[in-house]
Amino acid sequence: MRGKLGRIPLQALTEQDVEAWMHWALRHGRVRGGKAGTPLSVTSVDMSLARLKEALGRAVTRRLMAVNVAEYVVIPRKARKEERKRKETLTPWNPEEVQMFIQGIKEDRLYAALLLSPMGLRPAEVCGLRWMDIDLDRATVVIAKTRTMMGNRYVVEKDTKSLAGERVLPLPRPVLAALKSSEAAQARERAALDEAYTDSGYVVVHETGEAFTIKRLRRRAYRLLELLELRRVRLYDARPRVSPTLRTMAYRTISSRDGLGTRA
């Protein structure tokens, strides 16, 4: 946005300028995190547009401009429909691929965190998990917060998208065991670094205690997919979405691995 609109004086900015930027972003707006010049997602453009509207609204309040020229600019319905169709054509992992993923990440430091994706957690939900959300004694996890990014730069923490997104899930025994190991590993790292350790309280952290961003988690996961020669999908698609039956199969893949049951 800055590259396209940043050189225009605030008072000279028009609704047409904002619309032109929006259409450009939907077609060619990606400059990082993928192939430059490819389309940005509708969600990314929508979030950037929301920030622009907010900033221009403040400019109007401070009498730096007469009207908010971005106020009535919206993503075209056609663009939303096209993106929805593209997402619907993505084929999620089948149970065999889920099992290859689970087996292949076993030795990774983020094993516990990455096991949560086949259970149905979105990456933003995984990054938003705190240890206070997990009951290791009762083998349950509460999903209520997300930790995502705006414009690949700003971390945004908020509640789940809807009340339906808030849920309590049982932890299969392998996931529970992995989380316990992760908690113990964090305790060792905390003791080793002492005051230099950032006690963030999050489940997914670096060796220094700093919380993972969704961007870093995705980068780590995609690198693992390359090493495992697995078909690249979004982490969200690690959970089979073809039918409830396949999701149940993925859950059982985690639960039954090494002959373990679902409860501690």
Side-chain angles (χ1 to χ4, degrees):
M1 181 184 295
R2 182 167 52 188
K4 288 292 181 180
L5 302 180
R7 298 179 181 178
I8 303 176
L10 187 61
Q11 292 77 11
L13 187 67
T14 66
E15 183 173 320
Q16 289 73 28
D17 292 327
V18 177
E19 286 183 341
W21 164 80
M22 177 190 67
H23 289 297
W24 170 83
L26 290 170
R27 296 188 182 98
H28 314 290
R30 187 172 301 281
V31 295
R32 62 172 65 90
K35 185 178 179 181
T38 56
L40 282 174
S41 70
V42 167
T43 299
S44 296
V45 177
D46 222 359
M47 292 175 70
S48 296
L49 190 57
R51 285 184 64 84
L52 178 61
K53 290 179 180 180
E54 181 184 0
L56 295 184
R58 292 179 181 177
V60 172
T61 300
R62 297 175 63 184
R63 300 183 180 179
L64 298 175
M65 60 190 310
V67 296
N68 186 339
V69 297
E71 184 175 0
Y72 298 109
V73 177
V74 296
I75 305 291
R77 182 177 297 179
K78 181 179 179 181
R80 295 185 183 277
K81 286 185 176 180
E82 288 176 352
E83 181 167 286
R84 193 178 304 120
K85 288 179 180 179
R86 287 197 299 270
K87 288 183 177 180
E88 288 174 353
T89 59
L90 292 174
T91 304
W93 279 346
N94 57 42
E96 290 74 23
E97 289 172 309
V98 172
Q99 188 170 23
M100 288 176 63
F101 175 69
I102 293 170
Q103 296 288 353
I105 64 173
K106 188 174 181 180
E107 302 303 322
D108 192 83
R109 184 176 176 278
L110 296 185
Y111 176 57
L114 293 171
L115 275 185
L116 295 169
S117 291
M119 283 182 56
L121 272 68
R122 301 174 177 88
E125 292 171 337
V126 174
C127 288
L129 271 183
R130 297 178 183 266
W131 287 110
M132 62 184 294
D133 301 322
I134 298 175
D135 190 329
L136 294 176
D137 294 324
R138 297 185 179 181
T140 58
V141 57
V142 177
I143 310 301
K145 299 287 185 180
T146 63
R147 191 170 190 271
T148 185
M149 296 189 73
M150 182 176 289
N152 270 340
R153 294 180 62 187
Y154 305 101
V155 174
V156 178
E157 300 186 29
K158 56 185 178 180
D159 295 336
T160 53
K161 289 185 177 180
S162 64
L163 289 177
E166 296 184 13
R167 57 206 188 277
V168 179
L169 299 176
L171 292 170
R173 283 185 64 184
V175 181
L176 178 62
L179 285 168
K180 288 181 176 180
S181 295
S182 181
E183 184 184 43
Q186 284 189 28
R188 292 192 297 271
E189 292 164 352
R190 185 185 301 110
L193 292 180
D194 197 18
E195 294 183 358
Y197 188 85
T198 302
D199 199 355
S200 63
Y202 286 97
V203 173
V204 190
V205 297
H206 296 272
E207 290 86 345
T208 57
E210 176 190 2
F212 259 74
T213 63
I214 189 172
K215 180 179 179 180
R216 289 173 177 171
L217 180 64
R218 283 173 173 159
R219 185 182 298 164
R220 181 72 162 267
Y222 291 153
R223 175 57 180 157
L224 287 170
L225 297 190
E226 290 179 7
L227 293 174
L228 295 172
E229 297 183 351
L230 269 171
R231 180 166 54 91
R232 175 166 170 164
V233 297
R234 297 167 300 179
L235 284 184
Y236 186 77
D237 289 320
R239 61 176 195 163
R241 294 182 294 131
V242 176
S243 69
T245 301
L246 277 184
R247 187 180 299 184
T248 301
M249 290 173 71
Y251 187 92
R252 288 175 178 170
T253 298
I254 299 174
S255 302
S256 62
R257 189 170 54 83
D258 300 327
L260 298 177
T262 61
R263 305 296 294 182

